[in-house]
Every structure is written in C-alpha cells, then in structure tokens.
Amino acid sequence: MIVVLAKDISPHDKDIVRSFLKDHGHDAREQAFGDDILLSSSGKAPIDIHELSLLPGIERVAAVSKPYELASRETKSEDSIVSVGPVKIGGARITVIAGPCAVESRQQIHEIAALVRESGAVILRGGAFKPRTSPYAFQGLGLKGLEYMKEAGEACGMPIVTEVISAESAVLMKDLTDMFQIGARNMQNFDLLRKIAALGKPVLLKRGPSATMEEWLLSAEYLLSGGTKDVVLCERGIRTFETYTRNTLDISAIPVVKGLSHLPVIVDPSHAIGIRSHVSPASLAAVAVGADGLAIEVHNDPDKALSDGPQSLYPEQFEKLMRDIEAFVPVVGKELMRLPKGRKKDGEGGVGKDSDAWSTAFSLVGEKIAFSGRSGAFAERALINAFGEETPRLPVQTFAGVFDAVLDGSALFGVIPIENSLAGSVHENYDLFLRYPDIAIVGEIKLRIVHCLMASEKTSIEQIKSVRSHPQGFAQCREFLDKHPDWNLEIWSTTADAVQSIAKAGDAALTVAAIASEAAAKAHKLKILKAGIENNPQNYTRFVIISRKQDGEKQFVPPALEGAEPDKASLVFSVKHEPGSLIRCLQILSGEGINLSKLESRPILGQPWNYMFYIDVSIPREKLIFERALQQLKTHSDNFHFLGAYRGA
Ligand code: PEP
Ligand code: MN
C-alpha cells in the first residue's frame, strides 16, 4: 500500500499516520518519489483505506497489489515523462535514440553523431565500456571514448546515453553522460542498480535476456526506491529457442508493461533481431504497439564496425527509417520528438554544455499557449504534441478568442485547426487571418482524429435521441450518423464543450450523446459507446501555430522548431476581375519552379462574387527565387498578405 503525503504535512501529522500504520501491524518506509513523499507500508493485517485516507496530511492512499510499488500504475495512473536534458521520453511523443554500438574513435563518433542528428535522432547512444561475451573482443575505449562522445553530443546539440558496467566507473562517468544505460546483462546486478540509483541521473534500463516482466519492473523498483527519478525501460529481445534471430523481440511485452507501469518503454530492435534488414520494420511495429521510442544502432561504416556491425544500419537506411516513422506517428496520435536544428554557441542559452542551459532554452517558462475548447479538445492534443504536457495552456471559447489572446499577449502562441482531410477547410480560421493582419503562422501540426460516440455511464445507444458536437465532428462522422436518421444533431462551438454539457447535466441528459475525442470522454468521465466512427480512418487535421508578427525582430517560433529552416509558406491575395488574372499569378510560381500544395478561394466580405485566394507553397532551397516570386506576386495581385513561413508537418 502506498500513502501519498501532502507536501505540507506537519511532523506531528506524519507521526499520527505512522502510529496508525504501526497500530495496524504495518511497517512504514518513507521515500521520495518525484516531487511526492510516500509512505510505503506492508503488513498482514487488513487496513481500512478509507479510514486511513481521512487522517490529516494525506493526499491519497493507493492499494498496490504488485511487488514493484513505485513502478506500478496503481501508484501513479498517468504516464511518467522522463527528461534527458532538453529531450523528453514518454507521453504523446516518439523519441529516437541512435548511434553506434561502441565509440571507436573521436572521428567515428563525431561523424555518426552528425549523421543521426541530421536524420532526426535526439539522443546519441554509444558504448565506451562494452560488456562483451568474449574477453578477447573489443572492450571499448573507456573514459576516453566517453569524453569523445560527450564532445560529439555537444557539437551537434544532443544529450548522450552510455552503458555503465561497474560502480567504480559510474562515479567517473557521472559528469560525462546525460543518462546511464544499464545493460541487459546487468539488469539484476542489484549492487550496481543501488549505486547508480544513488547518483540520481536518468537511467535506461534494458530488459535482461531471460527476465520476466515482473523481474524487469522489480529492477526498476531498485532504481526508483534508491533515488532515481527518471527510469526508461528498454525491451531488447529475450532468449528463446529461436536461433535465426539474435534474440526474440518480445513485442507483446510493450503493451503489457505499459499497462502495469507508468514508466516509458522504448524498444531496441537492433539487439533484439541482430539482422540489419529487419530493424526498420520492427521499429515501426514497436511504435504501432505503443512504444514511447526506439534505440537504434547506426554506424558510419557498419562493415568495419568493431562490434555489432551486422545489426547496425547504414546512415542512409536510418534516414529512410526516420522519414517512415515521421509519416507513421500521427496514426498512433503522437508526435516525433524533435530538437532545434544546429547547435547554438555556449553562453547563448541554447543547446549547450549542461542541462541547465538546455532546460532554459527549451521551456517556455510561464508562457501560455491558447487553444479553443476545453480540456480534451483535439486542439489541446495538437498543442501537447507540439509543446509538451507541461506547457501552460489557455483554453478560450472561440477561434477568434485564440487570435485575441495571441494579439494581446495573454498567450505567446495559439493553436487553431485549418483543414481536415475528410471535411475540408475550417473557413472561419482562414477568414480570421484577414481580420488579424498582425498574426503570423509559425508552425504546423498534423493530428490523426479518431471520433468517439460518448454519453453518461447509464446511457445505452438505443436511448439516444440527440447528439452534440462541432459541425466538423458531424461532417467527419456523416456515414455513421446517416445510419441513425432519427437522431437530432445539436451544434456546439467545440467538441469538448459538447462533452462538458452532458457531463454537467448528469441525469438530465441521459438521452444525449456527444461526438468527440477519447481524451474528452476521459476528462469528463463519460462512457464511450462506440470508438472510431469517422467516415474513414485516414482522418487528419492540420493545425497551425500562430504568433504575433514581430516588427523588424526575429519571429517567435516554437522551441522545437527553432533553427529549423522554413520549407512552407502561406499567402493570401485577390486578383482583378479580368480574364487570366489568377492564371498569371500561378504562372509566376510555376515559372520559378515553386510547388503549390493548396489553393482555396473564399468570398470577400462585403464584395459579393469577389474572392480571396489562399495558397500554400513549398519554399525552394534558393531563398532568392522565393523572394523574387513574392515580389512579382505582389505586383500582379491585390490585397497581398504574407501569412507566414514555417516548417511543414
Ligand atoms: C548495447 O546497447 O550496446 C548493449 C550491449 O545492449 P544489451 O545490453 O541490450 O545487450
Ligand atoms: Mn551493440
């Protein structure tokens, strides 16, 4: 049983809790767990949890049936998010760790670090102390190798993870690495686990080749109870009777362990399979089954690698895999963890030497991001995917409210939907850009939308008389709704508002359902009657991130996109009412070889039968070509507005 104490519990109240437990024959151990203080108690006699939770200074009591208390979901129901410098693992993102099996030379680690970073890896891996099956095999460069790796990580702005094999070397490694890896062979080296835990650094805990999931979680418990706040589990294949592959990737362990524990789980397909050509498909399978990230071996010259060459990807294979992962992550409702491109110089407060510099560069301290709707709105999920769970959020009632909040400075950024792959453009937001000329588009987010029909716990689908949602929700679920022609459709300003109205009404709304996200159902404790009711599972919404235009200064961009070269731009203009005026504008673009990805026309308010044209274009590598095209467009069109240049999703 876990007793979570209130942060401000007095010593006197704590004594009362301790005596209560003692009087009931329980031993209580006090331990820190993240920012919480816990009393973990065990004893044979039953305890009335309700009675215990009424004692002063107690926040919550959880009956934990598992032997791994701190790692258990019973103790903490929400996903833990681990920070390694600026990189986060867990929650709504996929984090990719990549690098060679071993650091072989200064040049090798610098070269491969730059290559994996360019392709999108966010943590550099590499062994300096190698646990090898044979005593004659390459054992790693030791501390020297780790120094090279730290340098390489710093040079391209990536934190590093490296394996620790002994408590003595751990002390020397502590200031050189951002995360310790406990290798598969050491998963049950309890003395090592205790010593590493005491150092308090994030730990990547590999699963032992013959360890059960429970043994793996108990090893995590050693770390959590010994002082490590941040533990990431890594499935790397287990020993089975199969010999064709190096190990057997236990893909089923991922959803099971994620159900049992709040800790992030990543997958190392390289050591699991041991065969290069199967690493990429297994990586996608891991993401599909719910892994929070991947650790992949990549070598600049695998054929000459000193260890694990046959399972190491060539850099170009890794680049292709990253592109596939990027295309795939919206399907599982996640975002690929990215770091700003390029390294800032030390002292600039950017990606620098220590994690303090990192944390200030990456957190928008106290800055809010506005979205329309309530908790559980799709826009909120898009916001979390782009900015992280901890970013303060400002829910406002309308789309115009998001523009207002950004304009008056109550939010630094806003997130608004602009287009859905099934229902088309969100015209209101296109029109708002003209009403708010000081607002620019600075980023784009693509989110897969899965709609659910939800209602009160007591409601069954047969009882439903009316359904509430946003018009986009109805449009995207048209085919499902057509099967229920007797349902009355009630339009609400956002899907999350529709859900809240039912939750608030309680028993007064037993014949009403809503169409919204699974997250909205959870947030408002409604029952999902049917999940996945959108017309087609390929249902994506494109959101844009908006910010106030900065006069003459650098435009604010979301931290994860800082330094990223914009590759997409949005423009709006009208043309004269004469033959060929639109085609002339489009010819300017085709003449410069600029790709048009979207063209949309909207009526101009107060000028019947006159239209504004909204276009999205790719920005060519040669910036001068783009500038020249914009100049020509300005002269050949009317009411030209440049909405923003940004990184396309
Ligand atoms: C490694 O990651 O380099 C390694 C040795 O892995 P494992 O401990 O999973 O064998
Ligand atoms: Mn290896």
Side-chain angles (χ1 to χ4, degrees):
M1 186 170 55
I2 291 282
V3 184
V4 182
L5 301 179
K7 297 215 168 44
D8 56 357
I9 186 170
S10 67
H12 176 253
D13 287 347
K14 207 192 272 184
D15 283 344
I16 294 180
V17 180
R18 279 185 174 286
S19 316
F20 179 95
L21 292 169
K22 201 160 169 227
D23 293 349
H24 288 77
H26 275 233
D27 280 338
R29 275 169 287 118
E30 183 170 332
Q31 45 193 318
F33 179 51
D35 298 332
D36 289 326
I37 305 169
L38 308 179
L39 283 183
S40 157
S41 96
S42 49
K44 291 224 164 45
I47 281 194
D48 181 342
I49 289 196
H50 180 65
E51 193 185 344
L52 174 60
S53 62
L54 291 178
L55 293 181
I58 288 189
E59 205 169 278
R60 173 165 73 79
V61 180
V64 183
S65 58
K66 305 287 187 303
Y68 41 85
E69 293 184 336
L70 301 179
S72 169
R73 266 219 195 262
E74 292 167 322
T75 300
K76 181 170 184 267
S77 59
E78 53 312 344
D79 287 344
S80 279
I81 292 163
V82 162
S83 294
V84 185
V87 174
K88 293 198 167 23
I89 310 176
R93 58 183 70 69
I94 296 293
T95 304
V96 180
I97 302 174
C101 179
V103 183
E104 298 171 6
S105 70
R106 186 161 191 267
Q107 188 188 352
Q108 174 245 11
I109 191 69
H110 274 263
E111 268 178 36
I112 193 62
L115 286 168
V116 296
R117 172 80 159 92
E118 186 60 31
S119 298
V122 289
I123 298 181
L124 176 64
R125 63 145 287 145
F129 296 89
K130 294 301 301 173
R132 304 305 301 278
T133 307
S134 159
Y136 308 118
F138 173 61
Q139 306 282 313
L141 299 182
L143 271 189
K144 196 82 226 147
L146 185 51
E147 279 166 20
Y148 295 152
M149 190 167 150
K150 178 173 157 65
E151 252 177 44
E154 277 172 9
C156 52
M158 262 195 293
I160 63 173
V161 58
T162 196
E163 178 163 358
V164 56
I165 56 176
S166 76
E168 301 79 69
S169 52
V171 181
L172 303 170
M173 293 166 76
K174 181 175 175 276
D175 295 329
L176 294 171
T177 189
D178 300 292
M179 183 181 215
F180 281 121
Q181 174 175 317
I182 301 283
R185 293 157 192 80
N186 273 318
M187 188 205 87
Q188 286 191 314
N189 182 342
F190 302 118
D191 185 51
L192 181 64
L193 293 177
R194 277 210 186 88
K195 301 245 163 69
I196 295 300
L199 299 176
K201 286 221 142 189
V203 177
L204 181 66
L205 179 65
K206 292 250 186 146
R207 180 181 183 185
S210 329
T212 62
M213 297 182 217
E214 183 159 307
E215 286 164 344
W216 188 17
L217 289 167
L218 279 165
S219 291
E221 193 76 8
Y222 265 91
L223 293 166
L224 293 170
S225 61
T228 310
K229 259 169 57 181
D230 296 311
V231 176
V232 176
L233 301 167
C234 179
E235 159 61 38
R236 46 76 73 201
I238 49 173
R239 189 62 67 94
T240 66
F241 51 80
E242 181 54 67
T243 52
Y244 184 77
T245 49
R246 182 173 175 175
N247 291 290
T248 297
L249 175 59
D250 187 5
I251 202 101
S252 50
I254 297 137
V256 173
V257 170
K258 282 197 69 69
L260 293 172
S261 172
H262 52 87
L263 298 173
V265 181
I266 69 162
V267 167
D268 169 351
S270 311
H271 291 90
I273 300 178
I275 304 167
R276 181 184 304 130
S277 56
H278 303 318
V279 167
S280 295
S283 300
L284 294 174
V287 173
V289 83
D292 297 294
L294 296 159
I296 297 172
E297 285 189 344
V298 190
H299 196 286
N300 32 342
D301 191 356
D303 303 315
K304 299 212 182 80
L306 297 183
S307 61
D308 288 350
Q311 69 192 33
S312 301
L313 295 189
Y314 288 94
E316 45 289 9
Q317 286 180 309
F318 180 66
E319 187 188 353
K320 163 76 169 58
L321 170 61
M322 288 304 293
R323 294 173 73 86
D324 290 347
I325 294 172
E326 188 166 359
F328 188 60
V329 288
V331 174
V332 287
K334 293 183 181 172
E335 185 86 358
L336 193 57
M337 172 79 216
R338 292 184 178 87
L339 282 178
K341 287 251 176 191
R343 172 183 190 271
K344 293 184 184 163
K345 286 180 219 87
D346 292 344
E348 239 182 53
V351 180
K353 270 194 185 136
D354 51 47
S355 44
D356 283 350
W358 274 334
S359 51
T360 45
F362 283 84
S363 56
L364 293 163
V365 188
E367 295 286 4
K368 288 198 178 113
I369 321 283
F371 70 99
S372 87
R374 299 179 184 281
S375 183
F378 287 109
E380 187 187 41
R381 170 50 51 191
L383 186 166
I384 290 171
N385 283 6
F387 293 94
E389 292 76 357
E390 307 81 359
T391 304
R393 309 191 272 274
L394 178 67
V396 295
Q397 296 231 309
T398 59
F399 294 138
V402 178
F403 281 76
D404 283 332
V406 172
L407 196 64
D408 70 20
S410 32
L412 183 58
F413 296 106
V415 171
I416 52 158
I418 200 81
E419 181 179 17
N420 174 264
S421 59
L422 297 184
S425 293
V426 185
H427 289 126
E428 183 184 346
N429 282 335
Y430 273 102
D431 294 344
L432 282 168
F433 279 108
L434 295 186
R435 271 182 40 206
Y436 291 84
D438 291 329
I439 296 292
I441 300 178
V442 295
E444 187 179 56
I445 311 158
K446 199 167 97 180
L447 187 77
R448 180 173 172 208
I449 306 290
V450 177
H451 283 294
C452 303
L453 183 76
M454 59 196 73
S456 143
E457 198 57 53
K458 299 180 190 158
T459 303
S460 69
I461 203 156
E462 295 73 32
Q463 287 169 273
I464 295 172
K465 291 206 169 71
S466 56
V467 181
R468 298 176 183 171
S469 193
H470 183 269
Q472 282 273 340
F474 291 136
Q476 292 166 34
C477 302
R478 187 77 268 154
E479 290 171 17
F480 172 76
L481 290 169
D482 283 349
K483 292 186 200 138
H484 301 277
D486 48 322
W487 288 354
N488 178 36
L489 306 186
E490 296 176 18
I491 290 180
W492 282 70
S493 60
T494 69
T495 54
D497 277 304
V499 178
Q500 199 203 33
S501 72
I502 297 174
K504 258 193 173 162
D507 282 357
L510 293 185
T511 58
V512 190
I515 291 178
S517 70
E518 185 188 344
K522 259 196 198 141
H524 298 284
K525 301 198 169 56
L526 290 194
K527 178 175 71 176
I528 293 183
L529 296 167
K530 194 160 184 354
I533 57 168
E534 62 280 7
N535 300 346
N536 185 306
Q538 298 273 7
N539 185 20
Y540 297 91
T541 294
R542 220 158 47 79
F543 291 83
V544 290
I545 303 171
I546 57 172
S547 176
R548 208 158 20 144
K549 281 186 183 158
Q550 299 296 309
D551 272 347
E553 295 166 41
K554 225 176 120 252
Q555 182 67 48
F556 285 136
V557 293
L561 294 176
E562 230 177 89
E565 277 293 309
D567 58 4
K568 186 170 178 184
S570 297
L571 330 164
V572 56
F573 55 80
S574 62
V575 293
K576 295 208 170 37
H577 228 323
E578 57 186 40
S581 54
L582 175 61
I583 197 82
R584 268 195 298 279
C585 289
L586 299 182
Q587 270 164 349
I588 294 171
L589 297 171
S590 68
E592 296 287 10
I594 293 173
N595 189 38
L596 185 73
S597 52
K598 177 167 172 131
L599 170 65
E600 174 102 19
S601 67
R602 288 287 298 150
I604 302 176
L605 215 66
Q607 296 181 37
W609 325 127
N610 279 306
Y611 300 89
M612 296 297 290
F613 294 97
Y614 286 85
I615 66 170
D616 288 347
V617 292
S618 308
I619 301 179
R621 272 180 197 276
E622 190 54 73
K623 295 288 162 306
L624 273 179
I625 296 179
F626 188 56
E627 295 295 327
R628 199 165 60 207
L630 290 188
Q631 280 313 323
Q632 292 180 66
L633 269 181
K634 270 184 203 162
T635 36
H636 284 83
S637 65
D638 294 332
N639 301 310
F640 181 92
H641 296 277
F642 185 74
L643 298 183
Y646 51 95
R647 189 88 178 164

